[in-house]
């Protein structure tokens, strides 16, 4: 038996909710922090796991993800609900990051369907960056491949001084903001719409239209490849 946990630090409610979620998983799995660290060969360490569930800080997503995986239950494995637990953890983690990092308040995630101009697109990307917890340019650069999203470029994008230089750079930015394939398609549609509105005769506009079409086709193919459930 490990020693009892200290009370969750409730100074920042969103951070506390994440900690409560993680502690509940640890309790359900019947594990101590020592045992959890042993299962992953000390990476993350016992202290890192314990700190993640303390409410005193926002842990890295990598730590939260491993915490959820290590505390998975047999029911989650057999029912496929582990993905739901990961999604719930991501939502709580983003809420906690937003509560502790964001320079201004957003009531909801920006809606790419409302973007009609390049100015709208610039503001939308900045708001998206805030919505996902204001990751640093360095963090975003490390989430992408070499040279895909230089931190200097990211800094200018989140300052509203420039737009992504290409659809590929926009996709890297979106991926670093934890946007999934469907979301990427919607944002590329918004970018194509904005470029067609403001720069209809520029050669670069076609590249955005083409990138959106490619993303749409990839999502359609992914959907069609899913097995058909006759019971649905």
């Amino acid at each position: 038996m490990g020693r009892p946990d200290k009370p969750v630090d409730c100074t920042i409610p969103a951070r506390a909710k994440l900690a409560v979620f993680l502690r509940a998983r640890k309790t359900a799995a019947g594990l101590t922090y020592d045992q959890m660290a042993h299962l992953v060969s000390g990476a993350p360490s016992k202290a890192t796991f314990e700190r993640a569930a303390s409410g005193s800080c926002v842990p890295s997503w990598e730590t939260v993800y491993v915490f959820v995986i290590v505390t998975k239950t047999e029911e989650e494995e057999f029912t496929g609900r582990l993905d739901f637990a990961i999604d719930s953890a991501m939502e709580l983690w983003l809420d906690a990051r937003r509560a502790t990092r964001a320079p201004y308040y957003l009531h909801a995630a920006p809606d790419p369907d409302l973007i009609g101009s390049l100015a709208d697109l610039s503001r939308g990307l900045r708001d998206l960056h805030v919505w996902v917890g204001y990751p640093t340019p360095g963090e975003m650069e490390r989430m992408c491949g070499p040279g895909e999203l230089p931190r200097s470029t990211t800094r200018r994008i989140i300052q509203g001084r420039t737009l992504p230089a290409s659809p590929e750079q926009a996709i890297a930015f979106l991926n670093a903001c934890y946007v999934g394939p469907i979301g990427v398609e919607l944002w590329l549609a918004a970018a194509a719409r904005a470029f067609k509105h403001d720069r209809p005769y520029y050669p670069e506009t076609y590249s955005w239209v083409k990138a959106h079409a490619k993303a749409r086709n990839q999502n359609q193919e992914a959907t069609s490849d899913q097995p058909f459930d006759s019971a649905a």
Side-chain angles (χ1 to χ4, degrees):
M1 290 288 292
R3 70 174 187 270
D5 285 324
K6 296 179 181 178
V8 170
D9 183 340
C10 295
T11 306
I12 299 177
R15 208 165 59 188
K17 287 181 181 179
L18 174 62
V20 169
F21 171 84
L22 295 176
R23 287 193 183 188
R25 292 194 59 81
K26 169 179 166 288
T27 300
L31 295 171
T32 66
Y33 293 117
D34 269 326
Q35 291 168 332
M36 290 169 61
H38 179 73
L39 288 172
V40 293
S41 302
S45 66
K46 170 195 171 184
T48 300
F49 278 133
E50 194 166 6
R51 191 162 52 249
S54 69
S56 63
C57 66
V58 181
S60 69
W61 169 244
E62 290 75 17
T63 295
V64 173
Y65 179 81
V66 174
F67 199 117
V68 172
I69 296 299
V70 168
T71 56
K72 66 180 180 291
T73 64
E74 289 186 3
E75 180 183 1
E76 286 175 333
E77 286 193 271
F78 285 118
T79 62
R81 289 184 62 82
L82 182 59
D83 287 342
F84 176 78
I86 292 171
D87 289 344
S88 297
M90 170 66 82
E91 184 176 343
L92 290 168
W93 179 73
L94 290 176
D95 283 347
R97 291 249 300 195
R98 197 157 50 242
T100 54
R101 285 190 174 195
Y104 55 87
Y105 175 75
L106 287 174
H107 178 68
D111 185 352
D113 287 340
L114 301 180
I115 291 172
S117 68
L118 294 179
D120 292 342
L121 178 61
S122 177
R123 179 56 186 260
L125 292 175
R126 285 151 53 203
D127 284 351
L128 174 65
H129 176 254
V130 170
W131 182 254
V132 298
Y134 212 67
T136 67
E139 288 172 335
M140 297 177 73
E141 183 181 46
R142 289 190 292 274
M143 290 177 65
C144 303
E148 288 185 353
L149 191 65
R151 65 185 67 189
S152 57
T153 301
T154 303
R155 189 172 294 109
R156 291 196 297 272
I157 293 172
I158 62 181
Q159 290 173 345
R161 294 165 54 195
T162 191
L163 287 167
S166 66
E168 293 73 24
Q169 194 171 81
I171 292 170
F173 183 93
L174 294 169
N175 288 338
C177 287
Y178 308 98
V179 177
I182 299 299
V184 168
E185 178 189 340
L186 294 175
W187 279 97
L188 288 176
R193 189 166 57 247
F195 272 92
K196 285 193 289 185
H197 179 272
D198 287 8
R199 301 176 184 175
Y201 305 113
Y202 281 56
E204 63 183 315
T205 298
Y206 175 69
S207 67
W208 291 92
V209 174
K210 186 177 179 181
H212 168 240
K214 180 179 179 181
R216 182 185 59 213
N217 291 338
Q218 288 175 337
N219 285 332
Q220 289 175 344
E221 290 173 3
T223 301
S224 64
D225 287 342
Q226 291 179 355
F228 176 71
D229 185 356
S230 59

